[in-house]
Amino acid sequence: MSESPARDSATAEHLSLLANDGAHARVYLDGAQVASWTPAGSTDDRLFVSRHARYGAGQSIRGGIPICFPQFGATGALQQHGFARNSVWRVVRETTDADGARAVLELTDTAYTRAMWPFAFHAELSVHVAGAALTVELTVSNTDSQPFAFTAALHPYFRVRDAYATHVEGLGGTRYRDALQGGEVFRETRDPVPVQGAVDRVYFDTPDVLALVEPHRTLRIEKRGFPDAVLWNPGREGTASRADFVAGDEYDMVCLEAGAVGRPVMLAPGARWTGTQIMTAVASAAGPPAPR
Ligand code: TA6
């Protein structure tokens, strides 16, 4: 992997997707990371990116939608969240038509990836924006002669007005592993689940439609192919201990992720797997928020 030249959000190589209806997304080639999404008819970016985020090859931008592959978290032998977010992806195509704007990027094995994970693979990320929705789809193909297993997640940082006034709908009754309680597994008794401070949980086998609800607006989050969901907020200590966060960022973001974490995906030679996350801005019944 090459060392990262100093870059910023403007100079790091990226694609700007603009649908005919005005919906917009920005995708960086570093990590194939979506780092901005504005639904049609809105000026509000629904993705959070820290002012201290780093840009450039080898960096994962603190915010947007990092891709965790071929390992979620620190649960295996690889670096935290795998290498996809630290790799430079190639643009396959970029199109705009009546259905919206789409970019497709790809990543294949290199000497860098094989040194950590000795398999040939092809990963493709499709990003589509139109109307109120952003759709991100990760497809992994096994191009090796032996089977492999991986875990993965799409790790969106959603921008919110006050993280600790949000809640998540749809998780009630599911089991979760709580990283803040020594990795113990519990069953969720609440629905909705309020975000009330630092939280770091993998919810297993959840329903495919969840919602991140703020007092003034809602994001509908649908996943396909990803059985699990991850809920993360770093809390005060989490932002203070990471140089690419600014103190106070914990109020501005909630991660509600689509993951294949609990059971690794097994792929035979020639086989393919796809996981999708569809994020839709839902109009608020309560009207525009009062200024903070
Ligand atoms: O998805 C939640 C999580 O795995 C947390 O445990 C937390 O570490 C977060 O991801 C961010 O990880 P990072 O390596 O980007 O600091």
Side-chain angles (χ1 to χ4, degrees):
M1 182 179 55
S2 56
E3 274 306 299
S4 171
R7 299 278 191 181
D8 59 27
S9 59
T11 57
E13 217 178 331
H14 63 268
L15 304 173
S16 214
L17 305 184
L18 180 61
N20 294 339
D21 59 15
H24 175 260
R26 189 185 318 132
V27 189
Y28 286 88
L29 274 55
D30 299 315
Q33 204 162 329
V34 183
S36 175
W37 164 46
T38 313
S42 168
T43 52
D44 288 343
D45 199 322
R46 304 305 293 261
L47 296 178
F48 164 90
V49 176
S50 176
R51 283 183 286 115
H52 280 183
R54 298 174 181 138
Y55 295 83
Q59 302 286 358
S60 175
I61 301 162
R62 179 61 72 190
I65 311 182
I67 300 165
C68 307
F69 170 83
Q71 176 182 297
F72 176 81
T75 48
L78 302 186
Q79 68 215 53
Q80 159 99 343
H81 290 327
F83 48 69
R85 65 177 183 165
N86 307 109
S87 300
V88 183
W89 292 54
R90 286 179 300 274
V91 179
V92 177
R93 62 183 171 276
E94 195 187 346
T95 52
T96 304
D97 56 30
D99 289 336
R102 181 187 305 277
V104 178
L105 297 93
E106 68 176 3
L107 180 70
T108 50
D109 53 292
T110 60
Y112 166 68
T113 68
R114 285 190 300 270
M116 290 176 270
W117 198 60
F119 300 106
F121 70 91
H122 179 263
E124 195 170 88
L125 192 84
S126 161
V127 178
H128 178 263
V129 69
L134 171 71
T135 302
V136 180
E137 188 163 274
L138 175 66
T139 299
V140 177
S141 306
N142 183 343
T143 54
D144 208 294
S145 54
Q146 354 161 26
F148 61 63
F150 64 87
T151 53
L154 299 174
H155 192 308
Y157 289 65
F158 294 115
R159 179 171 286 285
V160 293
R161 178 170 287 263
D162 177 357
Y164 303 146
T166 66
H167 63 254
V168 177
E169 291 176 353
L171 297 172
T174 60
R175 284 181 321 115
Y176 65 91
R177 188 172 66 215
D178 193 335
L180 302 185
Q181 296 198 62
E184 261 195 83
V185 175
F186 302 93
R187 191 168 293 280
E188 184 57 80
T189 54
R190 301 166 303 170
D191 198 348
V193 176
V195 179
Q196 289 172 318
V199 59
D200 191 353
R201 296 176 176 183
V202 179
Y203 284 88
F204 300 111
D205 296 310
T206 74
D208 279 341
V209 178
L210 303 171
L212 176 62
V213 181
E214 295 183 73
H216 64 289
R217 63 180 185 183
T218 295
L219 265 186
R220 179 184 192 273
I221 297 163
E222 181 177 349
K223 58 189 179 60
R224 296 181 190 154
F226 285 113
D228 309 319
V230 182
L231 178 60
W232 184 57
N233 178 279
R236 185 140 61 110
E237 278 180 24
T239 53
S241 61
R242 291 171 169 89
D244 55 356
F245 267 128
V246 179
D249 275 350
E250 67 274 18
Y251 292 105
D252 298 339
M253 51 140 297
V254 172
C255 292
L256 184 53
E257 310 160 33
V261 177
R263 286 183 303 277
V265 177
M266 307 292 299
L267 271 194
R272 197 164 68 167
W273 166 91
T274 296
T276 308
Q277 195 172 22
I278 306 165
M279 294 146 273
T280 309
V282 178
S284 160
R292 191 155 60 171

